[in-house]
PDB file of all heavy atoms in Angstrom:
ATOM      1  N   GLY C 165     -14.339 -19.309 -15.883  1.00  0.00           N
ATOM      2  CA  GLY C 165     -14.981 -20.553 -15.435  1.00  0.00           C
ATOM      3  C   GLY C 165     -14.483 -20.924 -14.086  1.00  0.00           C
ATOM      4  O   GLY C 165     -13.228 -21.107 -13.987  1.00  0.00           O
ATOM      5  N   ALA C 166     -15.346 -20.969 -13.028  1.00  0.00           N
ATOM      6  CA  ALA C 166     -14.861 -21.273 -11.693  1.00  0.00           C
ATOM      7  C   ALA C 166     -15.367 -22.708 -11.365  1.00  0.00           C
ATOM      8  O   ALA C 166     -16.617 -22.946 -11.342  1.00  0.00           O
ATOM      9  CB  ALA C 166     -15.389 -20.287 -10.733  1.00  0.00           C
ATOM     10  N   ASN C 167     -14.558 -23.709 -11.240  1.00  0.00           N
ATOM     11  CA  ASN C 167     -14.947 -25.048 -10.861  1.00  0.00           C
ATOM     12  C   ASN C 167     -14.969 -25.256  -9.385  1.00  0.00           C
ATOM     13  O   ASN C 167     -13.939 -25.175  -8.675  1.00  0.00           O
ATOM     14  CB  ASN C 167     -13.970 -26.010 -11.511  1.00  0.00           C
ATOM     15  CG  ASN C 167     -14.411 -27.524 -11.424  1.00  0.00           C
ATOM     16  OD1 ASN C 167     -14.839 -27.912 -10.482  1.00  0.00           O
ATOM     17  ND2 ASN C 167     -14.223 -28.267 -12.566  1.00  0.00           N
ATOM     18  N   LEU C 168     -16.167 -25.530  -8.877  1.00  0.00           N
ATOM     19  CA  LEU C 168     -16.347 -25.691  -7.468  1.00  0.00           C
ATOM     20  C   LEU C 168     -15.923 -26.992  -6.923  1.00  0.00           C
ATOM     21  O   LEU C 168     -15.886 -27.209  -5.637  1.00  0.00           O
ATOM     22  CB  LEU C 168     -17.876 -25.362  -7.110  1.00  0.00           C
ATOM     23  CG  LEU C 168     -18.199 -23.872  -6.835  1.00  0.00           C
ATOM     24  CD1 LEU C 168     -18.303 -23.099  -8.143  1.00  0.00           C
ATOM     25  CD2 LEU C 168     -19.520 -23.812  -6.067  1.00  0.00           C
ATOM     26  N   GLU C 169     -15.624 -27.971  -7.720  1.00  0.00           N
ATOM     27  CA  GLU C 169     -15.103 -29.268  -7.223  1.00  0.00           C
ATOM     28  C   GLU C 169     -13.529 -29.140  -7.111  1.00  0.00           C
ATOM     29  O   GLU C 169     -13.063 -29.574  -6.087  1.00  0.00           O
ATOM     30  CB  GLU C 169     -15.486 -30.323  -8.192  1.00  0.00           C
ATOM     31  CG  GLU C 169     -16.930 -30.655  -8.152  1.00  0.00           C
ATOM     32  CD  GLU C 169     -17.288 -31.930  -9.042  1.00  0.00           C
ATOM     33  OE1 GLU C 169     -16.340 -32.379  -9.733  1.00  0.00           O
ATOM     34  OE2 GLU C 169     -18.523 -32.439  -8.995  1.00  0.00           O
ATOM     35  N   THR C 170     -12.840 -28.673  -8.152  1.00  0.00           N
ATOM     36  CA  THR C 170     -11.392 -28.545  -8.073  1.00  0.00           C
ATOM     37  C   THR C 170     -10.968 -27.207  -7.408  1.00  0.00           C
ATOM     38  O   THR C 170      -9.807 -27.150  -7.216  1.00  0.00           O
ATOM     39  CB  THR C 170     -10.830 -28.732  -9.543  1.00  0.00           C
ATOM     40  OG1 THR C 170     -11.414 -27.611 -10.286  1.00  0.00           O
ATOM     41  CG2 THR C 170     -11.355 -30.021 -10.187  1.00  0.00           C
ATOM     42  N   LEU C 171     -11.807 -26.335  -7.306  1.00  0.00           N
ATOM     43  CA  LEU C 171     -11.438 -24.884  -6.860  1.00  0.00           C
ATOM     44  C   LEU C 171     -10.402 -24.325  -7.733  1.00  0.00           C
ATOM     45  O   LEU C 171      -9.428 -23.797  -7.234  1.00  0.00           O
ATOM     46  CB  LEU C 171     -11.018 -24.926  -5.346  1.00  0.00           C
ATOM     47  CG  LEU C 171     -12.042 -25.327  -4.338  1.00  0.00           C
ATOM     48  CD1 LEU C 171     -11.456 -25.352  -2.857  1.00  0.00           C
ATOM     49  CD2 LEU C 171     -13.333 -24.402  -4.514  1.00  0.00           C
ATOM     50  N   LYS C 172     -10.608 -24.514  -8.958  1.00  0.00           N
ATOM     51  CA  LYS C 172      -9.720 -23.857 -10.016  1.00  0.00           C
ATOM     52  C   LYS C 172     -10.565 -23.021 -10.852  1.00  0.00           C
ATOM     53  O   LYS C 172     -11.704 -23.226 -11.100  1.00  0.00           O
ATOM     54  CB  LYS C 172      -8.977 -24.915 -10.880  1.00  0.00           C
ATOM     55  CG  LYS C 172      -7.997 -25.707 -10.159  1.00  0.00           C
ATOM     56  CD  LYS C 172      -7.230 -26.688 -11.066  1.00  0.00           C
ATOM     57  CE  LYS C 172      -6.238 -27.612 -10.288  1.00  0.00           C
ATOM     58  NZ  LYS C 172      -5.161 -26.726  -9.728  1.00  0.00           N
ATOM     59  N   ALA C 173      -9.905 -21.787 -11.260  1.00  0.00           N
ATOM     60  CA  ALA C 173     -10.630 -20.808 -12.109  1.00  0.00           C
ATOM     61  C   ALA C 173      -9.652 -20.587 -13.211  1.00  0.00           C
ATOM     62  O   ALA C 173      -8.395 -20.414 -13.087  1.00  0.00           O
ATOM     63  CB  ALA C 173     -10.932 -19.560 -11.266  1.00  0.00           C
ATOM     64  N   ASP C 174     -10.188 -20.423 -14.437  1.00  0.00           N
ATOM     65  CA  ASP C 174      -9.503 -20.026 -15.677  1.00  0.00           C
ATOM     66  C   ASP C 174     -10.284 -19.167 -16.482  1.00  0.00           C
ATOM     67  O   ASP C 174     -11.529 -18.938 -16.336  1.00  0.00           O
ATOM     68  CB  ASP C 174      -9.026 -21.254 -16.456  1.00  0.00           C
ATOM     69  CG  ASP C 174     -10.183 -22.212 -16.854  1.00  0.00           C
ATOM     70  OD1 ASP C 174     -11.152 -21.676 -17.406  1.00  0.00           O
ATOM     71  OD2 ASP C 174     -10.145 -23.378 -16.579  1.00  0.00           O
ATOM     72  N   CYS C 175      -9.645 -18.426 -17.313  1.00  0.00           N
ATOM     73  CA  CYS C 175     -10.295 -17.398 -18.091  1.00  0.00           C
ATOM     74  C   CYS C 175      -9.571 -17.226 -19.583  1.00  0.00           C
ATOM     75  O   CYS C 175      -8.436 -17.784 -19.845  1.00  0.00           O
ATOM     76  CB  CYS C 175     -10.196 -15.982 -17.481  1.00  0.00           C
ATOM     77  SG  CYS C 175      -8.593 -15.261 -17.493  1.00  0.00           S
ATOM     78  N   GLU C 176     -10.289 -16.714 -20.531  1.00  0.00           N
ATOM     79  CA  GLU C 176      -9.890 -16.398 -21.770  1.00  0.00           C
ATOM     80  C   GLU C 176     -10.529 -15.125 -22.411  1.00  0.00           C
ATOM     81  O   GLU C 176     -11.737 -14.876 -21.966  1.00  0.00           O
ATOM     82  CB  GLU C 176     -10.087 -17.510 -22.906  1.00  0.00           C
ATOM     83  CG  GLU C 176     -11.528 -17.849 -23.134  1.00  0.00           C
ATOM     84  CD  GLU C 176     -11.610 -19.007 -24.169  1.00  0.00           C
ATOM     85  OE1 GLU C 176     -10.772 -19.082 -25.018  1.00  0.00           O
ATOM     86  OE2 GLU C 176     -12.721 -19.634 -24.103  1.00  0.00           O
ATOM     87  N   LYS C 177      -9.774 -14.397 -23.118  1.00  0.00           N
ATOM     88  CA  LYS C 177     -10.402 -13.116 -23.670  1.00  0.00           C
ATOM     89  C   LYS C 177     -11.149 -13.540 -24.855  1.00  0.00           C
ATOM     90  O   LYS C 177     -10.743 -14.304 -25.811  1.00  0.00           O
ATOM     91  CB  LYS C 177      -9.261 -12.161 -24.124  1.00  0.00           C
ATOM     92  CG  LYS C 177      -9.869 -10.836 -24.619  1.00  0.00           C
ATOM     93  CD  LYS C 177      -8.718  -9.815 -24.781  1.00  0.00           C
ATOM     94  CE  LYS C 177      -7.734 -10.121 -25.741  1.00  0.00           C
ATOM     95  NZ  LYS C 177      -6.654  -9.088 -25.916  1.00  0.00           N
ATOM     96  N   VAL C 178     -12.445 -13.149 -24.859  1.00  0.00           N
ATOM     97  CA  VAL C 178     -13.399 -13.663 -25.924  1.00  0.00           C
ATOM     98  C   VAL C 178     -13.900 -12.391 -26.867  1.00  0.00           C
ATOM     99  O   VAL C 178     -14.438 -12.722 -27.932  1.00  0.00           O
ATOM    100  CB  VAL C 178     -14.635 -14.216 -25.208  1.00  0.00           C
ATOM    101  CG1 VAL C 178     -14.229 -15.567 -24.585  1.00  0.00           C
ATOM    102  CG2 VAL C 178     -15.353 -13.326 -24.249  1.00  0.00           C
ATOM    103  N   SER C 179     -13.671 -11.230 -26.448  1.00  0.00           N
ATOM    104  CA  SER C 179     -14.247 -10.127 -27.259  1.00  0.00           C
ATOM    105  C   SER C 179     -13.782  -8.824 -26.622  1.00  0.00           C
ATOM    106  O   SER C 179     -12.975  -8.740 -25.745  1.00  0.00           O
ATOM    107  CB  SER C 179     -15.727 -10.113 -27.404  1.00  0.00           C
ATOM    108  OG  SER C 179     -16.353  -9.857 -26.149  1.00  0.00           O
ATOM    109  N   TYR C 180     -14.175  -7.667 -27.268  1.00  0.00           N
ATOM    110  CA  TYR C 180     -13.868  -6.452 -26.740  1.00  0.00           C
ATOM    111  C   TYR C 180     -15.124  -5.486 -27.001  1.00  0.00           C
ATOM    112  O   TYR C 180     -15.971  -5.859 -27.774  1.00  0.00           O
ATOM    113  CB  TYR C 180     -12.643  -5.751 -27.420  1.00  0.00           C
ATOM    114  CG  TYR C 180     -12.782  -5.477 -28.853  1.00  0.00           C
ATOM    115  CD1 TYR C 180     -13.417  -4.303 -29.165  1.00  0.00           C
ATOM    116  CD2 TYR C 180     -12.449  -6.383 -29.884  1.00  0.00           C
ATOM    117  CE1 TYR C 180     -13.627  -4.011 -30.571  1.00  0.00           C
ATOM    118  CE2 TYR C 180     -12.561  -6.100 -31.165  1.00  0.00           C
ATOM    119  CZ  TYR C 180     -13.183  -4.972 -31.477  1.00  0.00           C
ATOM    120  OH  TYR C 180     -13.367  -4.630 -32.902  1.00  0.00           O
ATOM    121  N   ARG C 181     -15.177  -4.421 -26.269  1.00  0.00           N
ATOM    122  CA  ARG C 181     -16.249  -3.442 -26.458  1.00  0.00           C
ATOM    123  C   ARG C 181     -15.762  -2.066 -26.665  1.00  0.00           C
ATOM    124  O   ARG C 181     -14.765  -1.683 -26.025  1.00  0.00           O
ATOM    125  CB  ARG C 181     -17.126  -3.364 -25.147  1.00  0.00           C
ATOM    126  CG  ARG C 181     -17.972  -4.672 -25.000  1.00  0.00           C
ATOM    127  CD  ARG C 181     -18.802  -4.713 -23.678  1.00  0.00           C
ATOM    128  NE  ARG C 181     -19.501  -6.008 -23.557  1.00  0.00           N
ATOM    129  CZ  ARG C 181     -19.897  -6.455 -22.363  1.00  0.00           C
ATOM    130  NH1 ARG C 181     -19.769  -5.652 -21.306  1.00  0.00           N
ATOM    131  NH2 ARG C 181     -20.564  -7.559 -22.418  1.00  0.00           N
ATOM    132  N   GLN C 182     -16.288  -1.433 -27.605  1.00  0.00           N
ATOM    133  CA  GLN C 182     -15.961  -0.083 -28.040  1.00  0.00           C
ATOM    134  C   GLN C 182     -16.506   0.921 -26.978  1.00  0.00           C
ATOM    135  O   GLN C 182     -17.749   1.058 -26.908  1.00  0.00           O
ATOM    136  CB  GLN C 182     -16.411   0.341 -29.389  1.00  0.00           C
ATOM    137  CG  GLN C 182     -15.704   1.466 -30.012  1.00  0.00           C
ATOM    138  CD  GLN C 182     -14.215   1.124 -30.353  1.00  0.00           C
ATOM    139  OE1 GLN C 182     -14.009   0.025 -30.771  1.00  0.00           O
ATOM    140  NE2 GLN C 182     -13.392   2.116 -30.291  1.00  0.00           N
ATOM    141  N   LYS C 183     -15.687   1.486 -26.241  1.00  0.00           N
ATOM    142  CA  LYS C 183     -16.166   2.338 -25.076  1.00  0.00           C
ATOM    143  C   LYS C 183     -16.394   3.826 -25.528  1.00  0.00           C
ATOM    144  O   LYS C 183     -17.142   4.538 -25.015  1.00  0.00           O
ATOM    145  CB  LYS C 183     -15.218   2.298 -23.827  1.00  0.00           C
ATOM    146  CG  LYS C 183     -15.071   0.915 -23.379  1.00  0.00           C
ATOM    147  CD  LYS C 183     -16.159   0.293 -22.956  1.00  0.00           C
ATOM    148  CE  LYS C 183     -16.840   0.861 -21.772  1.00  0.00           C
ATOM    149  NZ  LYS C 183     -18.082   0.127 -21.328  1.00  0.00           N
TER     150      LYS C 183
END
Side-chain angles (χ1 to χ4, degrees):
N167 190 312
L168 272 74
E169 288 186 356
T170 63
L171 290 184
K172 292 184 179 295
D174 53 53
C175 70
E176 63 175 333
K177 185 165 65 175
V178 293
S179 62
Y180 65 86
R181 289 176 184 160
Q182 197 73 34
K183 304 303 291 183

